[in-house]
Amino acid sequence: MTRCWVLRRLRFALTELLSNHTTFRIGGPARHFVRATTEAQLIAAVTDCDQRGEPVLILGGGSNVLISDEGFDGTVVHIASRGISATTGCFGAELTVAAGENWDDLVAYAVAHEFSGMEPLSGIPGSVGATPVQNVGAYGAEVGSFIQRVRTWDRRDQQWRSFAAADCGFSYRDSRFKQEPGRYLITEVNFQLPVGDLAQPVQYPELARALGIEVGQRAPAVQVRDAVLTIRARKGMVLDPADHDSWSAGSFFTNPILSPEQLATLPEDAPRYRFGDGFKTSAAWLIQRAGFEPGYGEGAARLSTRHVLALTNRGGATAKDVLALAREIREGVAARFGITLVPEVNLIGVVI
């Protein structure tokens, strides 16, 4: 199958509004928009643009991006590949998943088939292929802990490359794929999970309380998934077209990692969790203690009414509106605590 034939099979659109493809509901037009439903289509579209010098934006579920109001002056390639295959044995379960699969659908699939480990990551919007980039995590779990292999197309060297988990450079909200932005197209992710109806030991106090267990104890994976979805919905973190509190990119800032010296400057009641050689604290706690309450803001861009770590589009917000609010919050936290918050959201055509 030649690349030209694959390109002819692609669906191209002109001046597609990117706000239709992001959970923020924000983003101007793309000069060209391509929906790639197979690995071959994805590689053909991106390689064609690279050879012509055309700017390319790879878009999955659109759940972790803030795109400029001016849009993207190039080709946006939407990864829409599908496919989940699973095998089981003495090693547990091995899942091979196409990059375009919906992440929460995969979690639901794993729980239904009694493959344990993913349940704390329930309700996170976006695609499977995006999760290794940020090393997505929540409620004491990180996706990197059960990834076995990531299959990619190396745009620089024009060849296939597969990375074992140990070679992915996973750390807190980071990976080699994030450190080398744009180089690797993730086309497939391979996961290895234990088999059983019990979740892995619950590590997050809020989740343990919701389940009525102690940290470190286990509960049925179905119950853990239900509890996580309830907690996330209560915080506006489950995507709902009718709920403006969910028109966001989730947590806008990462939780800061502090040295012992930095931690010593915070009030004694500041959250702190041992993290490597330092400590992780709560960005949400810093934001609220700096004077930004739930619902803070004027106009169409405001903090969620339920969770201050989410910046939301109340309807009609622009990227400029969101950035103005983000800057105000970052400057307020820096002035109060001397800590500069770092965006977790990918900023496309904009800077904070």
Side-chain angles (χ1 to χ4, degrees), residues 197-345:
D197 62 352
L198 288 180
Q200 295 305 294
V202 173
Q203 302 298 329
Y204 201 79
E206 181 183 12
L207 180 55
R209 287 194 298 272
L211 291 162
I213 62 175
E214 298 295 324
V215 171
Q217 292 184 330
R218 303 177 73 181
V222 171
Q223 293 182 15
V224 173
R225 173 169 167 78
D226 288 345
V228 169
L229 289 173
T230 298
I231 293 170
R232 289 183 65 86
R234 190 166 63 235
K235 295 178 178 180
M237 292 292 194
V238 174
L239 191 60
D240 180 353
D243 181 5
H244 283 285
D245 262 348
S246 73
W247 288 27
S248 75
S251 298
F252 195 91
F253 297 104
T254 60
N255 289 319
I257 308 300
L258 307 177
S259 67
E261 293 75 22
Q262 290 174 307
L263 185 69
T265 67
L266 294 182
E268 297 234 342
D269 61 337
R272 59 198 70 201
Y273 310 95
R274 174 66 70 174
F275 195 90
D277 294 331
F279 294 86
K280 182 165 68 173
T281 191
S282 166
W285 186 93
L286 295 171
I287 290 168
Q288 197 150 358
R289 288 301 184 93
F292 301 100
E293 296 295 328
Y296 179 86
E298 297 181 0
R302 303 182 193 179
L303 290 181
S304 165
T305 62
R306 290 172 276 183
H307 186 31
V308 296
L309 202 48
L311 279 64
T312 66
N313 174 7
R314 311 312 293 186
T318 64
K320 291 188 176 87
D321 295 333
V322 173
L323 288 169
L325 179 59
R327 292 188 191 104
E328 183 181 1
I329 290 167
R330 188 178 65 171
E331 290 167 5
V333 169
R336 174 69 177 82
F337 297 108
I339 295 171
T340 300
L341 295 178
V342 176
E344 182 172 339
V345 173

Side-chain angles (χ1 to χ4, degrees), residues 103 107 116-122 124 131 134-147 170-173 193 199-205 207 224 228 232 255 275 280 344:
W103 171 257
V107 177
S116 175
M118 290 182 171
E119 52 281 341
L121 304 183
S122 295
I124 294 176
T131 59
Q134 291 283 120
N135 188 20
V136 165
Y139 300 105
E142 288 183 332
V143 71
S145 65
F146 40 82
I147 283 177
F170 290 130
S171 60
Y172 176 66
R173 301 299 178 270
L193 302 168
Q200 295 305 294
V202 173
Q203 302 298 329
Y204 201 79
L207 180 55
V224 173
V228 169
R232 289 183 65 86
N255 289 319
F275 195 90
K280 182 165 68 173
E344 182 172 339

Side-chain angles (χ1 to χ4, degrees), residues 20 54 85-86 108 126 148 204 215 265 324:
N20 295 328
E54 170 95 356
S85 65
Q148 184 174 8
Y204 201 79
V215 171
T265 67

